[in-house]
Amino acid sequence: MAAKTQPSSSSSLVLIMSLFLLLLSLIVPSSVLSATLRSDIQALESIIRSVDPSSISPSSYLSTWDFSEDPCEGAGTFLGVMCSFPLENTTSRVIEIDLDDDGYDGFLSDEVGNLTELTVLSLNKNRFRGPVPETVFQLRKLTKLSLAENFFTGDISAEITRLKELKTIDLSKNSIAGEIPPRISALRSLTHLILSNNHLDGRIPALNGLWKLQVLELGNNHLYGMLPKLPPSLRTLSLCFNSLGGRISPLHRLKQLVSLDVSQNRFSGTVGHEILTFPEISRINVSFNQFISIEVIKVTGSRLRMLDAEGNHLQGHLPLNLATYENLKDINLRSNMFSGDIPRIYGKRLENSWRSLYLENNYLSGTLPEEFQKISKQIRGNLSNNCLQCPKNVQICQGTQKPKSQCTNAMLGSLE
């Protein structure tokens, strides 16, 4: 009969250690055992290497990036970095980079494209320069790309249309040139498209496919042409300081607008009553264009608070129905071609609800209504450079009027 073999002490030790490790894996949370994916760490290292060390202040987010600790597990380190909670037996991934505005000076590393789980990339108000790396457009899970107020150059790559999850694009206040990608409407999830204060040129492509878009800001560029098709979901539209022209009647469909700014362009024709009576509209700026008329109909319940139509060719009498806009506070109609008397109701509104009224540099005539002379509160406004009989002791009458000859010639011209 064969003798039983006794387990050696070494094999018993191996068995005990195996049981201990198994028990440890069941008790200790997987997040403690896991670490950040190595390629994510390398990408973060490359990002900070691309920043001038002298621009990283001791109180900045980047000063806390200490690679002796794991980026997703260190306490009080890697500010501006958010990570995913890993599943069991998986590594943590970097999902957000949202840096502070500490004035970082440098370039955005190409290796940012290796952060394939990234959903937010925000580097606002720094001094990053050079083109936006093409690798950014490999980040298919990106929902927010915000690089505003830097010194980025180059153009907006057509590859941006591959980022189907994007909800916000903010590239404002950079030096980006070229055209807006014609297929940008493919980004159907977009709610904010902010490209203002750059060097963009060309025509604005059709954007009506962006059916979720709420904010469109393209001001201070070199865009030209007619208004494109725009999505009716828009609440903020800013196209100021461009070379856009034609009629603004396509805006009549944008009934959810709260703020409209098309100032400093070449638009012409009529500012229709549809725009002034949008249910939610609060601010309208159509100044410094070539409009010849503005339709103001009687309304109730309007939310309009500010109307700026300075520097156009608006003619005829001042719109009496402006007084029916019960929430209106600030009116600027200076530097147009309005003529005739100032409505008495304007004086009553200044006494009660209007905060400012600028009518200078028109051809208004007649005696200033007595309501203006009874105003007791401080108001902002000006009636100078018209053809008015305006008492100097009235605050709003400060400044000179046009010479009589200029007023007479204007009146004769209007009769022809």
Side-chain angles (χ1 to χ4, degrees):
M1 186 172 178
K4 291 183 179 180
T5 59
Q6 297 295 323
S8 67
S9 58
S10 60
S11 60
S12 298
L13 184 60
V14 169
L15 179 61
I16 292 171
M17 287 297 296
S18 299
L19 291 172
F20 174 75
L21 291 173
L22 176 62
L23 182 62
L24 187 66
S25 67
L26 295 173
I27 297 174
V28 180
S30 59
S31 60
V32 174
L33 296 176
S34 63
T36 307
L37 190 70
R38 182 61 193 159
S39 61
D40 281 12
I41 296 175
Q42 291 171 338
L44 294 178
E45 289 174 335
S46 179
I47 288 172
I48 197 168
R49 282 198 307 268
S50 300
V51 175
D52 184 347
S54 66
S55 70
I56 302 175
S57 71
S59 60
S60 68
Y61 283 9
L62 285 186
S63 69
T64 69
W65 287 23
D66 178 5
F67 289 94
S68 66
E69 297 191 45
D70 188 274
C72 293
E73 295 180 353
T77 60
F78 289 91
L79 295 182
V81 175
M82 290 284 290
C83 298
S84 61
F85 292 103
L87 299 173
E88 194 169 335
N89 298 324
T90 61
T91 53
S92 298
R93 297 299 307 274
V94 173
I95 58 172
E96 290 187 20
I97 296 179
D98 188 354
L99 295 185
D100 53 337
D101 55 345
D102 199 59
Y104 304 121
D105 190 346
F107 300 88
L108 180 57
S109 169
D110 287 340
E111 290 194 36
V112 69
N114 294 332
L115 299 171
T116 54
E117 292 294 311
L118 203 64
T119 61
V120 173
L121 179 59
S122 180
L123 310 176
N124 297 340
K125 297 182 180 180
N126 284 291
R127 297 185 191 129
F128 288 100
R129 57 189 186 276
V132 178
E134 285 287 322
T135 55
V136 167
F137 308 117
Q138 299 172 11
L139 303 175
R140 300 299 180 86
K141 296 187 178 182
L142 211 59
T143 62
K144 180 179 181 180
L145 177 62
S146 192
L147 309 177
E149 297 189 48
N150 281 283
F151 297 96
F152 286 109
T153 55
D155 57 10
I156 303 174
S157 172
E159 296 297 302
I160 198 170
T161 58
R162 298 167 65 185
L163 306 183
K164 304 297 186 184
E165 301 298 318
L166 273 177
K167 295 180 179 178
T168 296
I169 299 174
D170 187 353
L171 305 179
S172 60
K173 297 184 179 179
N174 280 285
S175 296
I176 295 172
E179 297 185 348
I180 300 171
R183 295 196 65 254
I184 201 162
S185 273
L187 300 177
R188 299 298 176 89
S189 296
L190 267 188
T191 60
H192 292 69
L193 178 57
I194 305 172
L195 306 175
S196 52
N197 295 88
N198 279 289
H199 305 304
L200 297 172
D201 57 24
R203 300 177 184 273
I204 303 173
L207 300 175
N208 54 318
L210 300 176
W211 60 279
K212 292 184 178 181
L213 195 66
Q214 296 183 22
V215 175
L216 176 61
E217 297 184 7
L218 304 178
N220 290 85
N221 281 290
H222 308 297
L223 302 168
Y224 58 82
M226 312 280 277
L227 285 175
K229 293 180 180 179
L230 296 169
S233 55
L234 279 176
R235 296 181 63 79
T236 297
L237 175 61
S238 177
L239 304 174
C240 60
F241 289 90
N242 281 288
S243 298
L244 301 166
R247 308 300 176 104
I248 61 169
S249 50
L251 301 182
H252 294 176
R253 297 177 59 251
L254 309 183
K255 296 181 180 180
Q256 297 185 46
L257 272 184
V258 175
S259 178
L260 171 66
D261 188 350
V262 295
S263 62
Q264 298 280 354
N265 278 284
R266 300 172 183 171
F267 292 115
S268 58
T270 298
V271 180
H273 66 84
E274 295 88 351
I275 292 173
L276 272 72
T277 55
F278 286 151
E280 304 292 327
I281 197 72
S282 174
R283 298 174 59 85
I284 297 175
N285 190 345
V286 294
S287 63
F288 297 103
N289 280 283
Q290 299 168 15
F291 295 112
I292 59 171
S293 63
I294 182 168
E295 295 178 348
V296 184
I297 62 174
K298 189 175 182 179
V299 296
T300 55
S302 169
R303 296 190 179 186
L304 185 65
R305 297 177 63 85
M306 189 278 285
L307 174 63
D308 189 345
E310 176 183 356
N312 282 282
H313 306 305
L314 302 177
Q315 305 173 25
H317 292 277
L318 290 172
L320 188 63
N321 285 325
L322 271 184
T324 66
Y325 287 70
E326 57 193 40
N327 287 301
L328 194 58
K329 300 294 182 184
D330 300 293
I331 303 101
N332 181 7
L333 301 176
R334 57 160 70 102
S335 299
N336 280 287
M337 301 176 67
F338 286 113
S339 57
D341 297 335
I342 298 177
R344 296 179 62 179
I345 191 65
Y346 278 28
K348 292 180 180 179
R349 287 290 175 264
L350 274 175
E351 176 66 25
N352 296 320
S353 57
W354 289 359
R355 294 182 305 194
S356 66
L357 177 65
Y358 292 94
L359 300 176
E360 69 265 34
N361 199 25
N362 280 284
Y363 292 90
L364 302 170
S365 58
T367 304
L368 187 69
E370 61 181 11
E371 285 79 7
F372 280 80
Q373 303 179 43
K374 296 178 181 178
I375 296 172
S376 57
K377 67 175 185 177
Q378 278 294 113
I379 58 169
R380 292 179 287 115
N382 199 321
L383 301 178
S384 67
N385 204 26
N386 279 287
C387 303
L388 291 164
Q389 299 173 36
C390 214
K392 296 295 183 183
N393 62 329
V394 177
Q395 174 194 345
I396 204 171
C397 285
Q398 300 302 311
T400 60
Q401 296 292 314
K402 283 183 168 70
K404 287 185 178 180
S405 59
Q406 193 174 347
C407 294
T408 303
N409 292 336
M411 289 178 64
L412 290 174
S414 64
L415 295 173
E416 291 180 355

